[in-house]
Amino acid sequence: KYGSILNITDALFSKWDNSDADKRVAIFYRDEIWTYRKLIDEINKVGNGLRELGVEKENRILMISYDTPYFISVFYGAMKIGAIPVPVNTYLKPQDYIFFLEDTAAKVLVVEPDIWNKLSPYLKDRAKRLKHIIILPGIEKVSLQTEAFEHKAQLAFYSGLVSVQSTHLEPEPTSPNDMAFWLYTSGTTGHPKAAVHLHKDILVVLNTYVKNVLKITESDRLFTASKLFFAYGLGNGSYFAFGNGASTILMPDRVEPKRVLETIHRYKPTIFFGVPTLYNAMLQVEDWKNYDLSSLRFCVSAGEPLPPAIFNRWKERYGIEIVDGIGSTEALHIYISNIPGNCKPGCTGKVVPGYEVKIVDEEGKEVPPKTVGDLYVKGDSIAMFYWNDYESTRKNMVGIWFRTGDKFYRDEEGYYYYVGRSDDMIKTSGLWVSPIEVEAALLAHPAVSEAAVVGIPDEVGLIKVVAFVTLKQGYLPSQELSNELRNFLKDKLDHYKVPREIRFVNEIPKTATGKIQRYKFRLGEIK
Ligand code: 3SK
């Protein structure tokens, strides 16, 4: 389908490498505007710089980069020479990066200067395959500490390496099924596993979700608050734009609701991508009226199901929809989605054309409509395997199907409803309770800011439903409020779903990609 030679960087950018390239905007970044000409040249220079360092096909390049144009030039420059970029979460502890360096056996590390300063003392005699460390320009001024560095790898600066290179680069003639990039998935628990993606996978997402759901055109301007190191953000903030000659707005800073509103106000995106907790936090910004969001055609949400209360409040305030969908790092992007202009609050939507899904029972038999089961997905963008993880590959990649780990049911019209992660579901008195349903009901109460619902054993070991709640400004924890919340839920939920206990907490812990870590409550890490 994709021919015998396919290099994804070449496939994305060669179409725009013409006389319009110096007018067409690829990236808005702080006060800079990167045209397609500037970006294509930079990608080629990075590819040449990496080749000069001896980087070859399939060599891994670990990237610890904020959302800057240099993330883009390294990611696509590496793939153009057939090397494998592996972007990772920038919010981790320095020791965690040693795991990634060793698991990938990376030959090159590309790293932000402030992160390098914290990481270098841990390197010592670890990560023996590492030959080169490239320090990125950095988003703030940082003085580099090199004295603690005792590793044999060579240190280079991005600017020094890249500025002297040619802007012409022959792409590596990779095949559609050659490894292109890896993305780590941590799920909500467990150790991270790298999902191995191939050169064709990005084209599959462009030809399915992007073409059929988002319908992005050259005049679109995209802004993702979810970072590029996350499969969701990587599509939203890079190849969705580059596959269509559109522009992306990069925000390297930490995600804070006001900063996101400011960025939308300033750069006027046409589509904004976020996660439910961010939409919820943006709705709580007091001076929201000072920010103009009228450039947006619609917004997109994934990572966690979008509670109807948030969908409705957003639509009421801004007059536009948040298009909810579900995807995974393994599938690369979204495979069940609502359709802009026709969103159903509380529903994940229909299967994106190009993918197939099935819902099965514990014996693997497909279940009828309205019956909850395990969701499997099939499609050409699904990762080949997990690197270095035979057991998880065997467990989750079942022939051509991928076991998502999510519980779903569908209705007769083919709409899909998320019920929870398989390991987050609560069985109480022999009945299943979806934390998502209870959390969505809690969020409809004006006092509730965020909620996480889990099953916890009582004094005799029976599982009871417990809700952990953070409150909006102006509300204080009290027994009266707890009773009020429980009464509020009694009107909305079956009696066995109403939490037996409501506990007020200061924070709901989440992964870097916005997924609630319910297991932390189950394990008693937060009481
Ligand atoms: O969590 C999701 O829904 C998601 C969506 C798109 C890409 C990746 C992920 C994990």
Side-chain angles (χ1 to χ4, degrees), residues 230-233 301-304 325-329 332-334 513 515:
F230 173 33
Y232 178 53
S301 178
E304 282 269 291
I326 187 163
S328 65
T329 302
L332 189 54
H333 220 279
I334 287 175
T513 55
K515 292 184 203 292

Side-chain angles (χ1 to χ4, degrees), residues 328 335 374-377 396 402-408 421:
S328 65
Y335 44 82
D374 294 308
L375 184 83
Y376 283 65
V377 59
N396 296 338
F402 168 61
R403 194 179 69 93
T404 64
D406 292 316
K407 293 263 186 214
F408 263 85
R421 287 290 301 166

Side-chain angles (χ1 to χ4, degrees), residues 31-83:
D31 291 330
E32 299 173 25
I33 287 183
W34 284 54
T35 61
Y36 272 75
R37 172 83 286 125
K38 183 170 157 86
L39 180 58
I40 293 168
D41 286 353
E42 188 80 5
I43 288 172
N44 288 347
K45 287 186 192 179
V46 168
N48 281 317
L50 291 171
R51 273 192 180 149
E52 189 181 286
L53 295 180
V55 176
E56 294 175 341
K57 190 176 174 197
E58 293 187 2
N59 286 168
R60 267 81 67 189
I61 299 180
L62 192 80
M63 293 175 55
I64 315 176
S65 170
Y66 300 127
D67 284 12
T68 68
Y70 310 108
F71 179 114
I72 306 284
S73 58
V74 172
F75 186 77
Y76 291 96
M79 292 197 295
K80 191 154 179 182
I81 63 163

Side-chain angles (χ1 to χ4, degrees), residues 304-305 307-308 372 406-407 418-428 431-443 450-455 465-468 489 493 496-499 516-519 521-522:
E304 282 269 291
V372 173
D406 292 316
K407 293 263 186 214
Y418 184 85
V419 194
R421 287 290 301 166
S422 304
D423 43 14
D424 281 339
M425 291 294 289
I426 306 162
K427 198 166 201 182
T428 180
L431 297 164
W432 285 108
V433 177
S434 158
I436 305 302
E437 186 186 357
V438 185
E439 288 161 13
L442 273 164
L443 282 174
E450 294 187 313
V453 171
V454 296
V465 179
V466 178
F468 293 83
L489 295 181
L493 300 171
Y496 64 93
K497 297 178 182 169
V498 175
I516 296 176
Q517 293 170 307
R518 295 181 187 81
Y519 76 95
F521 294 107
R522 266 198 308 270

